[in-house]
Amino acid sequence: MLYKENSLRVLFFILKRGQLKMVVILKPKTSTEEINKLTRDLESKGVTVNPVIGTELIILGLVGDTSKLDPCYIEANPYVERVMHVQEHFKKANRMFHPEDSIIDVNGNTIGGRKISVIAGPCSVETEEQIITVAKDVKKYGASFLRGGAFKPRTSPYSFQGLKYDGLELLKIAREQTGLPIVTEIMSPYDIEVFNENVDVIQVGARNMQNFDLLKELGKTNKTILLKRGLSATIEELLMSAEYIMAGGNENVILCERGIRTFETYTRNTLDLSAIPAIKKLSHLPVIVDPSHAAGKWWMVEPLAKAAVAVGADGLIIEVHNDPQKAWCDGQQSIKPELFSNIMDDLRIIAEAVGREI
């Protein structure tokens, strides 16, 4: 079946309907006879061919098992320009199906597009006074969202695990007093109803990135999900986890690069800055960076945050504490509000230099 279109809209339609595995791009002005001849040849190999005839491009979209097709054999045809494998298994997160960058709106605050959003706050919610003080400070210095851990996944079962539901209530009080939307981490599918009612952005931590039961349930909500990259997850695995959420109907997903585990032990993790442009090439979803968890050292937060903005991050999530030395959790990677203010001033300059704003 031949489609005569000026754009790739029809191809996108085919991609969404089928399991496209390979794209054959033909040379301009290839005759209908040659197109039909190549189509019959490919179909004899057991695949379905969907030709798209445009004014500038002629494309054959191949659906089915292409594992036995040799691209070199196809490219030997004098009318074939090149052959492309469509290896990505993610569909809804794929930029091929959604060429424009997604912009996620949370109560009037956006993540994605020209604006770089900053999420800031303490690693864990400790007291009402602490969370309100920090919330007021980060808002004053330019943060758009308040982060704070109520439920804390810790390596040791004996470490502080968070104030849990009491922590959520304290976050709500801070939101009432500052107007900042709250971002906090969920641990269990059983808490989805509570989070859906009380939290503005639900964070899925690195340890839960492949908790597929949790992701499926979050896909049934309309709440914005902040999905962090797993400790040793590849970029494709991160995108596939996003696909679990989006396949359920919830397309309000934000991706977060927070460092991965490598052989290096000087820093807590190794921040993969190359992941930002790579993900933005593959996906339309916003990408933010967590320099605090990446380095695990407060004095590295500033240079890593600047680098993240320079390479195209859509936002940052930074741990800020009014008294890091007395923090109940991760004080060594938290910065004071005064330093946060200085960093924000510098980030505005970098953002402007790359055509963005904070």
Side-chain angles (χ1 to χ4, degrees), residues 34 43 65 107 129 134-135 142 149 169 175 200 225 329:
E34 292 297 335
E43 288 182 336
D65 182 8
N107 302 336
E129 179 182 6
V134 175
E169 293 303 315
R175 178 175 59 191
D200 300 297
I225 310 299
C329 176

Side-chain angles (χ1 to χ4, degrees), residues 76-96:
N77 187 302
Y79 299 99
V80 173
E81 187 72 40
R82 61 189 170 119
V83 177
M84 298 171 57
H85 278 284
V86 182
Q87 298 177 335
E88 299 87 346
H89 303 295
F90 49 95
K91 306 297 178 187
K92 291 182 176 292
N94 199 321
R95 184 175 289 278
M96 183 177 288

Side-chain angles (χ1 to χ4, degrees), residues 236-339:
E236 181 174 343
E237 287 169 339
L238 172 61
L239 291 171
M240 287 304 299
S241 291
E243 195 75 14
Y244 265 92
I245 300 170
M246 301 176 76
N250 183 359
E251 299 190 5
N252 299 312
V253 179
I254 302 163
L255 304 175
C256 180
E257 163 59 38
R258 43 80 70 198
I260 53 176
R261 183 166 292 171
T262 68
F263 58 83
E264 183 55 68
T265 58
Y266 184 77
T267 53
R268 182 173 182 176
N269 296 291
T270 299
L271 181 61
D272 183 8
L273 286 174
S274 67
I276 292 92
I279 292 173
K280 294 180 79 66
K281 179 179 177 62
L282 295 170
S283 176
H284 57 90
L285 297 175
V287 187
I288 70 170
V289 170
D290 181 348
S292 303
H293 279 89
K297 300 178 185 296
W298 69 268
W299 54 271
M300 282 191 175
V301 170
E302 179 176 359
L304 293 181
K306 291 177 179 178
V309 170
V311 298
D314 295 304
L316 298 164
I317 178 166
I318 298 176
E319 291 194 358
V320 180
H321 196 287
N322 56 321
D323 191 355
Q325 290 185 324
K326 295 181 180 179
W328 295 4
C329 176
D330 288 345
Q332 75 281 1
Q333 65 191 38
S334 300
I335 62 174
K336 293 184 177 180
E338 296 76 18
L339 179 55

Side-chain angles (χ1 to χ4, degrees), residues 46-325:
V47 298
T48 300
V49 180
N50 294 279
V52 178
I53 312 301
T55 55
E56 298 179 357
L57 285 175
I58 302 174
I59 297 173
L60 305 183
L62 276 54
V63 176
D65 182 8
T66 59
S67 61
K68 297 180 181 180
L69 285 179
D70 183 358
C72 294
Y73 166 78
I74 301 174
E75 289 182 343
N77 187 302
Y79 299 99
V80 173
E81 187 72 40
R82 61 189 170 119
V83 177
M84 298 171 57
H85 278 284
V86 182
Q87 298 177 335
E88 299 87 346
H89 303 295
F90 49 95
K91 306 297 178 187
K92 291 182 176 292
N94 199 321
R95 184 175 289 278
M96 183 177 288
F97 306 134
H98 193 299
E100 301 82 17
D101 290 336
S102 286
I103 300 176
I104 309 298
D105 188 293
V106 183
N107 302 336
N109 296 278
T110 58
I111 297 180
R114 177 179 170 80
K115 180 176 174 58
I116 298 173
S117 296
V118 177
I119 304 167
C123 177
S124 63
V125 180
E126 299 170 359
T127 65
E128 181 174 336
E129 179 182 6
Q130 172 244 18
I131 191 62
I132 291 175
T133 298
V134 175
K136 289 182 177 179
D137 282 340
V138 298
K139 180 180 182 180
K140 178 171 63 175
Y141 298 132
S144 302
F145 296 82
L146 172 66
R147 65 143 292 149
F151 295 80
K152 297 300 301 177
R154 308 300 301 279
T155 302
S156 170
Y158 307 112
S159 299
F160 173 60
Q161 304 289 314
L163 297 179
K164 299 180 173 56
Y165 301 106
D166 290 337
L168 285 181
E169 293 303 315
L170 295 181
L171 282 169
K172 290 166 61 178
I173 293 173
R175 178 175 59 191
E176 290 174 3
Q177 296 205 19
T178 63
L180 291 176
I182 55 178
V183 182
T184 194
E185 183 172 349
I186 192 169
M187 295 291 294
S188 169
Y190 302 111
D191 288 326
I192 287 180
E193 184 176 349
V194 173
F195 273 67
N196 196 40
E197 292 177 358
N198 296 286
V199 177
D200 300 297
V201 178
I202 301 175
Q203 175 181 311
V204 176
R207 293 171 178 82
N208 272 314
M209 189 204 81
Q210 290 184 311
N211 184 343
F212 299 126
D213 287 339
L214 174 62
L215 301 181
K216 289 177 183 178
E217 291 302 316
L218 291 171
K220 299 176 184 178
T221 74
N222 290 319
K223 191 68 64 174
T224 298
I225 310 299
L226 172 59
L227 179 64
K228 284 196 166 187
R229 185 179 181 182
L231 301 176
S232 301
T234 65
I235 290 172
E236 181 174 343
E237 287 169 339
L238 172 61
L239 291 171
M240 287 304 299
S241 291
E243 195 75 14
Y244 265 92
I245 300 170
M246 301 176 76
N250 183 359
E251 299 190 5
N252 299 312
V253 179
I254 302 163
L255 304 175
C256 180
E257 163 59 38
R258 43 80 70 198
I260 53 176
R261 183 166 292 171
T262 68
F263 58 83
E264 183 55 68
T265 58
Y266 184 77
T267 53
R268 182 173 182 176
N269 296 291
T270 299
L271 181 61
D272 183 8
L273 286 174
S274 67
I276 292 92
I279 292 173
K280 294 180 79 66
K281 179 179 177 62
L282 295 170
S283 176
H284 57 90
L285 297 175
V287 187
I288 70 170
V289 170
D290 181 348
S292 303
H293 279 89
K297 300 178 185 296
W298 69 268
W299 54 271
M300 282 191 175
V301 170
E302 179 176 359
L304 293 181
K306 291 177 179 178
V309 170
V311 298
D314 295 304
L316 298 164
I317 178 166
I318 298 176
E319 291 194 358
V320 180
H321 196 287
N322 56 321
D323 191 355
Q325 290 185 324

